[in-house]
Amino acid sequence: MPAFVPATPQQTSWAVWLAAIVCAVLAIAVIIAGIVVFAIYIIYQPKMPYIKVAYAHLSKLDYGQPGLLEIEMVLNLVAENDNKKAHASFSDLSFLLQFHRIDVAALRADPFDVAKNSSLELDYHFPSSPIPLDQAAMETMDVALKRGVVSFDLSGHARTRWRVGIFLSVKFRTYLSCELRFFWPNGSTVNLDCISKSP
Ligand SMILES: *[C@@H]1O[C@H](CO)[C@@H](O)[C@H](O)[C@H]1NC(C)=O
Ligand SMILES: *[C@@H]1O[C@H](CO)[C@@H](O)[C@H](O)[C@H]1NC(C)=O
């Protein structure tokens, strides 16, 4: 029994024609998709949605012996969609608040949408549980309280994408990494400037 049956000339040309047609259709589809994406991009000029800290307040800071820190903070984040014609959605939002690299609180949110040219507020008001500080953090806290300015680090990321009609963009990551500084004892922020960036 032969292992290989040569195709007749007619069969070969059929197969070649079929392959050529499929390739041509695929190529045209790819070109059309490219033109559509490019046109949407030019017409709508989507801007990357982002998250910013609109307001923060340190409402309580108990720092007693033996190096236990307890705080209460109000954090007002805003998810901004500056697109005039595209909706935005956010997911996997997760931020971590730290003092001197020691975790203080974790902030999360369920996925949500932001309408075009709009924003959505995420309000957090949380007391921390008592956090034991290590030697270096205790020294930093002593200095901070003497200076009257206490710093925390807020970092993390969210995934975001925009939607125009039925067209969804891929998901982008937007990263937040900033220092939140508070006057103590009044707890108001010092030069609050905290906006997420997409690389
Ligand atoms: C976008 O929002 C701003 C302020 O919220 C408003 O002044 C402006 O008219 C809005 N633009 C559109 C196209 O909706
Ligand atoms: C908080 O205290 C700082 C420094 O003492 C001061 O500059 C700031 O205006 C105060 N903020 C409020 C809201 O009172």
PDB file of all heavy atoms in Angstrom, residues 19-45:
ATOM      1  N   ALA A  19      -6.699  27.968  -1.129  1.00  0.00           N
ATOM      2  CA  ALA A  19      -5.763  28.585  -0.196  1.00  0.00           C
ATOM      3  C   ALA A  19      -5.570  30.055  -0.538  1.00  0.00           C
ATOM      4  O   ALA A  19      -5.544  30.920   0.350  1.00  0.00           O
ATOM      5  CB  ALA A  19      -4.426  27.842  -0.233  1.00  0.00           C
ATOM      6  N   ALA A  20      -5.456  30.346  -1.823  1.00  0.00           N
ATOM      7  CA  ALA A  20      -5.233  31.729  -2.245  1.00  0.00           C
ATOM      8  C   ALA A  20      -6.420  32.602  -1.873  1.00  0.00           C
ATOM      9  O   ALA A  20      -6.262  33.718  -1.358  1.00  0.00           O
ATOM     10  CB  ALA A  20      -4.978  31.777  -3.754  1.00  0.00           C
ATOM     11  N   ILE A  21      -7.636  32.066  -2.059  1.00  0.00           N
ATOM     12  CA  ILE A  21      -8.830  32.854  -1.746  1.00  0.00           C
ATOM     13  C   ILE A  21      -8.926  33.111  -0.243  1.00  0.00           C
ATOM     14  O   ILE A  21      -9.168  34.217   0.205  1.00  0.00           O
ATOM     15  CB  ILE A  21     -10.104  32.141  -2.269  1.00  0.00           C
ATOM     16  CG1 ILE A  21     -10.116  32.211  -3.799  1.00  0.00           C
ATOM     17  CG2 ILE A  21     -11.363  32.768  -1.685  1.00  0.00           C
ATOM     18  CD1 ILE A  21     -11.133  31.305  -4.460  1.00  0.00           C
ATOM     19  N   VAL A  22      -8.671  32.034   0.553  1.00  0.00           N
ATOM     20  CA  VAL A  22      -8.726  32.193   2.004  1.00  0.00           C
ATOM     21  C   VAL A  22      -7.707  33.234   2.452  1.00  0.00           C
ATOM     22  O   VAL A  22      -8.011  34.132   3.254  1.00  0.00           O
ATOM     23  CB  VAL A  22      -8.480  30.839   2.700  1.00  0.00           C
ATOM     24  CG1 VAL A  22      -8.220  31.039   4.192  1.00  0.00           C
ATOM     25  CG2 VAL A  22      -9.678  29.925   2.492  1.00  0.00           C
ATOM     26  N   CYS A  23      -6.509  33.169   1.887  1.00  0.00           N
ATOM     27  CA  CYS A  23      -5.472  34.134   2.272  1.00  0.00           C
ATOM     28  C   CYS A  23      -5.889  35.547   1.907  1.00  0.00           C
ATOM     29  O   CYS A  23      -5.711  36.479   2.696  1.00  0.00           O
ATOM     30  CB  CYS A  23      -4.144  33.814   1.582  1.00  0.00           C
ATOM     31  SG  CYS A  23      -3.297  32.455   2.369  1.00  0.00           S
ATOM     32  N   ALA A  24      -6.436  35.703   0.711  1.00  0.00           N
ATOM     33  CA  ALA A  24      -6.839  37.039   0.269  1.00  0.00           C
ATOM     34  C   ALA A  24      -7.930  37.595   1.177  1.00  0.00           C
ATOM     35  O   ALA A  24      -7.871  38.747   1.608  1.00  0.00           O
ATOM     36  CB  ALA A  24      -7.322  36.977  -1.178  1.00  0.00           C
ATOM     37  N   VAL A  25      -8.913  36.743   1.524  1.00  0.00           N
ATOM     38  CA  VAL A  25     -10.008  37.202   2.392  1.00  0.00           C
ATOM     39  C   VAL A  25      -9.456  37.607   3.757  1.00  0.00           C
ATOM     40  O   VAL A  25      -9.799  38.648   4.304  1.00  0.00           O
ATOM     41  CB  VAL A  25     -11.080  36.095   2.533  1.00  0.00           C
ATOM     42  CG1 VAL A  25     -12.044  36.427   3.663  1.00  0.00           C
ATOM     43  CG2 VAL A  25     -11.830  35.929   1.225  1.00  0.00           C
ATOM     44  N   LEU A  26      -8.543  36.767   4.296  1.00  0.00           N
ATOM     45  CA  LEU A  26      -7.942  37.083   5.595  1.00  0.00           C
ATOM     46  C   LEU A  26      -7.190  38.408   5.541  1.00  0.00           C
ATOM     47  O   LEU A  26      -7.311  39.251   6.430  1.00  0.00           O
ATOM     48  CB  LEU A  26      -6.990  35.966   6.025  1.00  0.00           C
ATOM     49  CG  LEU A  26      -7.645  34.760   6.675  1.00  0.00           C
ATOM     50  CD1 LEU A  26      -6.600  33.727   7.050  1.00  0.00           C
ATOM     51  CD2 LEU A  26      -8.423  35.181   7.929  1.00  0.00           C
ATOM     52  N   ALA A  27      -6.418  38.586   4.464  1.00  0.00           N
ATOM     53  CA  ALA A  27      -5.620  39.809   4.346  1.00  0.00           C
ATOM     54  C   ALA A  27      -6.528  41.027   4.292  1.00  0.00           C
ATOM     55  O   ALA A  27      -6.278  42.037   4.963  1.00  0.00           O
ATOM     56  CB  ALA A  27      -4.743  39.736   3.097  1.00  0.00           C
ATOM     57  N   ILE A  28      -7.620  40.917   3.516  1.00  0.00           N
ATOM     58  CA  ILE A  28      -8.545  42.052   3.416  1.00  0.00           C
ATOM     59  C   ILE A  28      -9.193  42.326   4.768  1.00  0.00           C
ATOM     60  O   ILE A  28      -9.319  43.473   5.196  1.00  0.00           O
ATOM     61  CB  ILE A  28      -9.609  41.776   2.326  1.00  0.00           C
ATOM     62  CG1 ILE A  28      -8.938  41.819   0.952  1.00  0.00           C
ATOM     63  CG2 ILE A  28     -10.733  42.799   2.395  1.00  0.00           C
ATOM     64  CD1 ILE A  28      -9.783  41.263  -0.169  1.00  0.00           C
ATOM     65  N   ALA A  29      -9.563  41.254   5.499  1.00  0.00           N
ATOM     66  CA  ALA A  29     -10.184  41.423   6.814  1.00  0.00           C
ATOM     67  C   ALA A  29      -9.232  42.137   7.766  1.00  0.00           C
ATOM     68  O   ALA A  29      -9.623  43.043   8.499  1.00  0.00           O
ATOM     69  CB  ALA A  29     -10.594  40.070   7.381  1.00  0.00           C
ATOM     70  N   VAL A  30      -7.974  41.749   7.729  1.00  0.00           N
ATOM     71  CA  VAL A  30      -6.987  42.372   8.618  1.00  0.00           C
ATOM     72  C   VAL A  30      -6.831  43.855   8.270  1.00  0.00           C
ATOM     73  O   VAL A  30      -6.787  44.723   9.148  1.00  0.00           O
ATOM     74  CB  VAL A  30      -5.623  41.637   8.524  1.00  0.00           C
ATOM     75  CG1 VAL A  30      -4.523  42.458   9.173  1.00  0.00           C
ATOM     76  CG2 VAL A  30      -5.726  40.272   9.189  1.00  0.00           C
ATOM     77  N   ILE A  31      -6.791  44.147   6.957  1.00  0.00           N
ATOM     78  CA  ILE A  31      -6.637  45.549   6.534  1.00  0.00           C
ATOM     79  C   ILE A  31      -7.851  46.369   6.965  1.00  0.00           C
ATOM     80  O   ILE A  31      -7.710  47.464   7.520  1.00  0.00           O
ATOM     81  CB  ILE A  31      -6.438  45.624   5.000  1.00  0.00           C
ATOM     82  CG1 ILE A  31      -5.050  45.067   4.652  1.00  0.00           C
ATOM     83  CG2 ILE A  31      -6.567  47.067   4.512  1.00  0.00           C
ATOM     84  CD1 ILE A  31      -4.839  44.836   3.181  1.00  0.00           C
ATOM     85  N   ILE A  32      -9.055  45.807   6.775  1.00  0.00           N
ATOM     86  CA  ILE A  32     -10.270  46.544   7.165  1.00  0.00           C
ATOM     87  C   ILE A  32     -10.277  46.778   8.676  1.00  0.00           C
ATOM     88  O   ILE A  32     -10.549  47.883   9.147  1.00  0.00           O
ATOM     89  CB  ILE A  32     -11.536  45.783   6.715  1.00  0.00           C
ATOM     90  CG1 ILE A  32     -11.649  45.870   5.194  1.00  0.00           C
ATOM     91  CG2 ILE A  32     -12.785  46.367   7.376  1.00  0.00           C
ATOM     92  CD1 ILE A  32     -12.772  45.040   4.607  1.00  0.00           C
ATOM     93  N   ALA A  33      -9.932  45.736   9.435  1.00  0.00           N
ATOM     94  CA  ALA A  33      -9.904  45.886  10.894  1.00  0.00           C
ATOM     95  C   ALA A  33      -8.919  46.978  11.277  1.00  0.00           C
ATOM     96  O   ALA A  33      -9.193  47.814  12.145  1.00  0.00           O
ATOM     97  CB  ALA A  33      -9.528  44.560  11.550  1.00  0.00           C
ATOM     98  N   GLY A  34      -7.774  46.993  10.616  1.00  0.00           N
ATOM     99  CA  GLY A  34      -6.762  48.011  10.898  1.00  0.00           C
ATOM    100  C   GLY A  34      -7.294  49.402  10.614  1.00  0.00           C
ATOM    101  O   GLY A  34      -7.114  50.324  11.414  1.00  0.00           O
ATOM    102  N   ILE A  35      -7.984  49.556   9.480  1.00  0.00           N
ATOM    103  CA  ILE A  35      -8.527  50.869   9.106  1.00  0.00           C
ATOM    104  C   ILE A  35      -9.580  51.303  10.119  1.00  0.00           C
ATOM    105  O   ILE A  35      -9.605  52.451  10.556  1.00  0.00           O
ATOM    106  CB  ILE A  35      -9.119  50.816   7.673  1.00  0.00           C
ATOM    107  CG1 ILE A  35      -7.981  50.668   6.664  1.00  0.00           C
ATOM    108  CG2 ILE A  35      -9.929  52.074   7.379  1.00  0.00           C
ATOM    109  CD1 ILE A  35      -8.440  50.384   5.253  1.00  0.00           C
ATOM    110  N   VAL A  36     -10.435  50.354  10.545  1.00  0.00           N
ATOM    111  CA  VAL A  36     -11.484  50.697  11.522  1.00  0.00           C
ATOM    112  C   VAL A  36     -10.859  51.158  12.837  1.00  0.00           C
ATOM    113  O   VAL A  36     -11.234  52.194  13.398  1.00  0.00           O
ATOM    114  CB  VAL A  36     -12.421  49.484  11.754  1.00  0.00           C
ATOM    115  CG1 VAL A  36     -13.310  49.720  12.972  1.00  0.00           C
ATOM    116  CG2 VAL A  36     -13.276  49.247  10.528  1.00  0.00           C
ATOM    117  N   VAL A  37      -9.877  50.404  13.317  1.00  0.00           N
ATOM    118  CA  VAL A  37      -9.222  50.766  14.580  1.00  0.00           C
ATOM    119  C   VAL A  37      -8.553  52.135  14.452  1.00  0.00           C
ATOM    120  O   VAL A  37      -8.676  53.003  15.321  1.00  0.00           O
ATOM    121  CB  VAL A  37      -8.179  49.691  14.978  1.00  0.00           C
ATOM    122  CG1 VAL A  37      -7.284  50.194  16.103  1.00  0.00           C
ATOM    123  CG2 VAL A  37      -8.889  48.414  15.405  1.00  0.00           C
ATOM    124  N   PHE A  38      -7.883  52.352  13.326  1.00  0.00           N
ATOM    125  CA  PHE A  38      -7.194  53.617  13.102  1.00  0.00           C
ATOM    126  C   PHE A  38      -8.199  54.769  13.050  1.00  0.00           C
ATOM    127  O   PHE A  38      -8.003  55.819  13.673  1.00  0.00           O
ATOM    128  CB  PHE A  38      -6.403  53.534  11.796  1.00  0.00           C
ATOM    129  CG  PHE A  38      -5.537  54.726  11.543  1.00  0.00           C
ATOM    130  CD1 PHE A  38      -4.412  54.949  12.326  1.00  0.00           C
ATOM    131  CD2 PHE A  38      -5.845  55.624  10.537  1.00  0.00           C
ATOM    132  CE1 PHE A  38      -3.615  56.057  12.108  1.00  0.00           C
ATOM    133  CE2 PHE A  38      -5.056  56.731  10.303  1.00  0.00           C
ATOM    134  CZ  PHE A  38      -3.928  56.952  11.096  1.00  0.00           C
ATOM    135  N   ALA A  39      -9.311  54.534  12.350  1.00  0.00           N
ATOM    136  CA  ALA A  39     -10.338  55.580  12.227  1.00  0.00           C
ATOM    137  C   ALA A  39     -10.922  55.916  13.589  1.00  0.00           C
ATOM    138  O   ALA A  39     -11.082  57.084  13.942  1.00  0.00           O
ATOM    139  CB  ALA A  39     -11.435  55.128  11.272  1.00  0.00           C
ATOM    140  N   ILE A  40     -11.225  54.867  14.389  1.00  0.00           N
ATOM    141  CA  ILE A  40     -11.767  55.110  15.733  1.00  0.00           C
ATOM    142  C   ILE A  40     -10.771  55.924  16.547  1.00  0.00           C
ATOM    143  O   ILE A  40     -11.122  56.876  17.230  1.00  0.00           O
ATOM    144  CB  ILE A  40     -12.077  53.771  16.434  1.00  0.00           C
ATOM    145  CG1 ILE A  40     -13.328  53.162  15.811  1.00  0.00           C
ATOM    146  CG2 ILE A  40     -12.268  53.963  17.923  1.00  0.00           C
ATOM    147  CD1 ILE A  40     -13.661  51.801  16.358  1.00  0.00           C
ATOM    148  N   TYR A  41      -9.521  55.562  16.394  1.00  0.00           N
ATOM    149  CA  TYR A  41      -8.491  56.242  17.161  1.00  0.00           C
ATOM    150  C   TYR A  41      -8.410  57.719  16.778  1.00  0.00           C
ATOM    151  O   TYR A  41      -8.332  58.601  17.627  1.00  0.00           O
ATOM    152  CB  TYR A  41      -7.131  55.560  16.947  1.00  0.00           C
ATOM    153  CG  TYR A  41      -6.224  55.798  18.098  1.00  0.00           C
ATOM    154  CD1 TYR A  41      -6.296  54.996  19.234  1.00  0.00           C
ATOM    155  CD2 TYR A  41      -5.332  56.860  18.081  1.00  0.00           C
ATOM    156  CE1 TYR A  41      -5.500  55.248  20.313  1.00  0.00           C
ATOM    157  CE2 TYR A  41      -4.529  57.114  19.171  1.00  0.00           C
ATOM    158  CZ  TYR A  41      -4.612  56.308  20.280  1.00  0.00           C
ATOM    159  OH  TYR A  41      -3.832  56.566  21.367  1.00  0.00           O
ATOM    160  N   ILE A  42      -8.464  57.972  15.463  1.00  0.00           N
ATOM    161  CA  ILE A  42      -8.372  59.355  14.971  1.00  0.00           C
ATOM    162  C   ILE A  42      -9.628  60.142  15.345  1.00  0.00           C
ATOM    163  O   ILE A  42      -9.554  61.285  15.802  1.00  0.00           O
ATOM    164  CB  ILE A  42      -8.189  59.359  13.431  1.00  0.00           C
ATOM    165  CG1 ILE A  42      -6.822  58.776  13.074  1.00  0.00           C
ATOM    166  CG2 ILE A  42      -8.340  60.764  12.867  1.00  0.00           C
ATOM    167  CD1 ILE A  42      -5.654  59.556  13.595  1.00  0.00           C
ATOM    168  N   ILE A  43     -10.797  59.524  15.188  1.00  0.00           N
ATOM    169  CA  ILE A  43     -12.051  60.253  15.429  1.00  0.00           C
ATOM    170  C   ILE A  43     -12.258  60.503  16.916  1.00  0.00           C
ATOM    171  O   ILE A  43     -12.611  61.590  17.332  1.00  0.00           O
ATOM    172  CB  ILE A  43     -13.255  59.458  14.848  1.00  0.00           C
ATOM    173  CG1 ILE A  43     -13.137  59.398  13.320  1.00  0.00           C
ATOM    174  CG2 ILE A  43     -14.570  60.122  15.252  1.00  0.00           C
ATOM    175  CD1 ILE A  43     -14.079  58.391  12.685  1.00  0.00           C
ATOM    176  N   TYR A  44     -12.013  59.486  17.735  1.00  0.00           N
ATOM    177  CA  TYR A  44     -12.344  59.608  19.156  1.00  0.00           C
ATOM    178  C   TYR A  44     -11.165  60.033  20.016  1.00  0.00           C
ATOM    179  O   TYR A  44     -11.350  60.511  21.113  1.00  0.00           O
ATOM    180  CB  TYR A  44     -12.912  58.280  19.670  1.00  0.00           C
ATOM    181  CG  TYR A  44     -14.234  57.946  19.039  1.00  0.00           C
ATOM    182  CD1 TYR A  44     -14.323  57.049  17.996  1.00  0.00           C
ATOM    183  CD2 TYR A  44     -15.392  58.570  19.486  1.00  0.00           C
ATOM    184  CE1 TYR A  44     -15.532  56.758  17.402  1.00  0.00           C
ATOM    185  CE2 TYR A  44     -16.608  58.294  18.903  1.00  0.00           C
ATOM    186  CZ  TYR A  44     -16.677  57.384  17.858  1.00  0.00           C
ATOM    187  OH  TYR A  44     -17.879  57.114  17.286  1.00  0.00           O
ATOM    188  N   GLN A  45      -9.965  59.833  19.524  1.00  0.00           N
ATOM    189  CA  GLN A  45      -8.748  60.172  20.270  1.00  0.00           C
ATOM    190  C   GLN A  45      -8.876  59.815  21.750  1.00  0.00           C
ATOM    191  O   GLN A  45      -8.864  60.700  22.612  1.00  0.00           O
ATOM    192  CB  GLN A  45      -8.452  61.656  20.110  1.00  0.00           C
ATOM    193  CG  GLN A  45      -8.186  61.994  18.661  1.00  0.00           C
ATOM    194  CD  GLN A  45      -7.717  63.417  18.463  1.00  0.00           C
ATOM    195  OE1 GLN A  45      -7.920  64.272  19.303  1.00  0.00           O
ATOM    196  NE2 GLN A  45      -7.080  63.656  17.339  1.00  0.00           N
TER     197      GLN A  45
END
